[in-house]
Amino acid sequence: EAQVTQNPRYLITVTGKKLTVTCSQNMNHEYMSWYRQDPGLGLRQIYYSMNVEVTDKGDVPEGYKVSRKEKRNFPLILESPSPNQTSLYFCASSPLLWGKSSPLHFGNGTRLTVT
Amino acid sequence: DAKTTQPPSMDCAEGRAANLPCNHSTISGNEYVYWYRQIHSQGPQYIIHGLKNNETNEMASLIITEDRKSSTLILPHATLRDTAVYYCIVRGGGQGGKLIFGQGTELSVKP
């Protein structure tokens, strides 16, 4: 089944303790991206990647890192989490079709709480 | 990157058509209009997209104005299960990296 898989679904951690949220897709998509969702603010893009070793900042990249060493994986790294990073996080992927366009496929989300 | 504007909330009676508007006045010539919906806190679900022609699929219809500055998503016979937040975004053809979702429209379908 074609899907975007995020892990973990729920995570509670403490301020300053490094964590990684994984995202994997099995559709051979070039494009992957991370979003956070907070009440009243909709979905905001954190980082995106157009292909392996190509990443770029979205609207709210501060406090986050990403890497794209393999096509299928796009982990989100919080080196020193803070309470204002408590949020619902989504990973998404899509193919990149030159001259055309294609929809994003979203994961089921990771709810992170930083105390 | 083009930004979209949507009303924060709308109501619709069950069985009636739901018409959700979206303004994207700064859209570029190669940018597509996409609609997604999100039920509760699940991952957003793709509904439909289009460039300049009207589009229809099994879920909805998309009407794009001739100047492409606005569009309307139509759910022809809304059901209670269509209650969700609907997002309209624009994305470049093949090169759309940075995406702006906005806050969407919260649609409530009432019996």
Side-chain angles (χ1 to χ4, degrees), chain B residues 4-80:
Chain B
T4 61
T5 305
Q6 300 175 251
S9 64
M10 292 181 66
D11 290 340
C12 178
E14 189 178 19
R16 303 297 293 267
N19 297 282
L20 289 86
C22 179
N23 182 289
H24 31 80
S25 57
T26 60
I27 192 170
S28 301
N30 68 343
E31 287 183 315
Y32 288 71
V33 180
Y34 278 84
W35 284 84
Y36 293 83
R37 75 179 182 185
Q38 186 179 28
I39 298 173
H40 298 302
S41 296
Q42 298 175 20
Q45 175 191 22
Y46 165 76
I47 301 173
I48 199 167
H49 74 284
L51 183 62
K52 52 185 177 182
N53 297 322
N54 298 338
E55 302 287 345
T56 295
N57 62 20
E58 63 278 5
M59 290 181 69
S61 295
L62 173 61
I63 308 297
I64 302 174
T65 57
E66 195 168 338
D67 64 7
R68 301 208 327 122
K69 292 185 176 182
S70 65
S71 61
T72 301
L73 177 75
I74 301 173
L75 308 177
H77 304 287
T79 71
L80 298 179

Side-chain angles (χ1 to χ4, degrees), chain A residues 4-5 15 24-25 39 44 53 78 82 90 96 103 109:
Chain A
V4 178
T5 303
T15 299
S24 179
Q25 48 93 6
R44 294 181 293 167
E53 302 292 0
L78 284 72
S82 62
F90 290 102
L96 283 180

